[in-house]
Amino acid sequence: MSDVSGLAGKFDSWQRMSFDPARCPVRDVLDHLGDKWTTLIVIALAGGPRRFGELNRSIPDISKRMLTQCLRNLERDGLITRHVFPTSPPSVEYRLADLGRSLLAPLQALVEWAEASHQSVRDARLRFDGVPSNT
Amino acid sequence: MSDVSGLAGKFDSWQRMSFDPARCPVRDVLDHLGDKWTTLIVIALAGGPRRFGELNRSIPDISKRMLTQCLRNLERDGLITRHVFPTSPPSVEYRLADLGRSLLAPLQALVEWAEASHQSVRDARLRFDGVPSNT
DNA sequence: CGGAATCCACCATGATACTG
DNA sequence: CAGTATCATGGTGGATTCCG
């Protein structure tokens, strides 16, 4: 329990500071990762530098608007860097900064958990949905 | 790189299956964790079983509505279990299921990354915001 | 090509009131 | 106490258009 229940202790301390965002890293740092695209972009960049258009194509259904916005947030947080090549037409390359690369390990752990748990979750959903509310 | 770049490989395979939710665990399983409250609830339950009202009080600003909804999702996905004690007034206890407990380790890794990176991110933001767009 | 700006739809969340 | 129902709204994200 020593290791994992550390989360419970963290929760208590966050609670004591009223989840003040300035001191609660989770709300402040991790929130962006729930963005729907951000995580995917980070993973896409795990394979190496990518250009804007490449990212746009490699992530189906993402709009330029959202791609731009997420990239900006990631750049602002120092997770990625942006390199403009003043060619014509312009070419912009994004790559993970050191800070961004350091996120890959914990992120991968989470992804692997998701893969390992996928079937269990799907089964649980079937069971839950199949159970008649009562009767 | 062998370990971490595994994410790049995963991305490629997801891409090949067009990110089909049925086969892409990330979109299907991890999406709920971006919910804004879900992760916090899981962490709150890391300390042991909690009653509805306890959770409601221990997480400031969460509404009963959202708490109920998140708890239902977590229960549906098999991450937590719900135990009703037919006392009067009624008492309902939530606790992590095995599947939910197995999430704690990767989650903690992510939280620890957030804590370790918090200052770096804040610094990066100051730098980014402070930099005059050009001039 | 890369991005900014605008408009718009929807969903997540919040507030409130009601129920068992 | 532990919800449910209803309504209001704000932000997230999509589609489109314009710019350098």
Side-chain angles (χ1 to χ4, degrees):
Chain A
M1 73 184 86
S2 56
D3 189 26
V4 148
S5 71
L7 279 177
K10 291 179 197 301
F11 183 86
D12 290 342
S13 65
W14 300 336
Q15 197 177 5
R16 264 181 258 107
M17 56 176 69
S18 304
F19 292 91
D20 173 15
R23 290 182 298 165
C24 173
V26 179
R27 304 307 288 276
D28 198 33
V29 180
L30 249 39
D31 249 24
H32 278 317
L33 296 187
D35 268 2
K36 179 181 188 180
W37 298 113
T38 306
T39 303
L40 212 49
I41 293 175
V42 170
I43 295 178
L45 289 175
R50 294 283 186 270
R51 293 184 48 186
F52 185 89
E54 275 185 288
L55 287 171
N56 203 170
R57 281 186 301 277
S58 69
I59 303 179
D61 299 341
I62 195 174
S63 61
K64 286 196 297 181
R65 178 176 175 358
M66 280 298 97
L67 182 55
T68 301
Q69 181 174 308
C70 291
L71 287 170
R72 280 290 178 284
N73 284 335
L74 287 168
E75 186 193 0
R76 189 172 103 96
D77 285 4
L79 297 186
I80 67 175
T81 55
R82 179 171 175 271
H83 305 271
V84 182
F85 300 97
T87 58
S88 175
S91 159
V92 179
E93 188 182 87
Y94 294 90
R95 61 176 66 199
L96 289 177
D98 287 345
L99 190 57
R101 260 189 300 278
S102 74
L103 169 61
L104 292 180
L107 195 56
Q108 181 171 19
L110 202 63
V111 168
E112 283 171 355
W113 176 85
E115 290 179 324
S117 309
H118 193 190
Q119 195 54 50
S120 299
V121 168
R122 292 170 69 79
D123 291 348
R125 285 181 187 161
L126 287 177
R127 246 177 290 121
F128 187 90
D129 296 342
V131 170
S133 351
N134 45 6
T135 317
Chain B
M1 71 187 84
S2 55
D3 188 27
V4 148
S5 70
L7 280 177
K10 289 179 197 305
F11 182 86
D12 291 340
S13 65
W14 299 336
Q15 196 176 4
R16 262 181 259 107
M17 56 177 69
S18 305
F19 292 90
D20 173 15
R23 289 181 298 166
C24 173
V26 180
R27 305 308 287 275
D28 198 32
V29 180
L30 250 38
D31 248 23
H32 277 317
L33 296 187
D35 267 1
K36 179 181 188 182
W37 299 114
T38 307
T39 303
L40 212 49
I41 293 175
V42 170
I43 295 177
L45 289 175
R50 295 283 184 271
R51 292 184 47 187
F52 185 89
E54 278 185 287
L55 288 170
N56 202 170
R57 279 186 302 277
S58 68
I59 304 180
D61 300 342
I62 194 174
S63 61
K64 287 194 297 183
R65 174 171 159 49
M66 280 298 97
L67 182 55
T68 301
Q69 181 175 307
C70 291
L71 287 170
R72 281 289 180 283
N73 285 334
L74 286 169
E75 187 192 0
R76 188 172 103 95
D77 284 4
L79 298 186
I80 66 176
T81 56
R82 179 172 176 269
H83 304 271
V84 182
F85 301 96
T87 58
S88 175
S91 159
V92 180
E93 188 182 87
Y94 294 89
R95 60 177 66 201
L96 290 177
D98 287 345
L99 191 57
R101 260 189 300 277
S102 73
L103 169 62
L104 292 180
L107 196 55
Q108 181 170 19
L110 202 63
V111 168
E112 283 171 355
W113 177 86
E115 290 179 324
S117 309
H118 193 192
Q119 195 54 50
S120 300
V121 169
R122 291 169 70 79
D123 292 347
R125 285 180 187 162
L126 287 178
R127 246 177 290 121
F128 187 89
D129 296 341
V131 169
S133 351
N134 45 7
T135 315

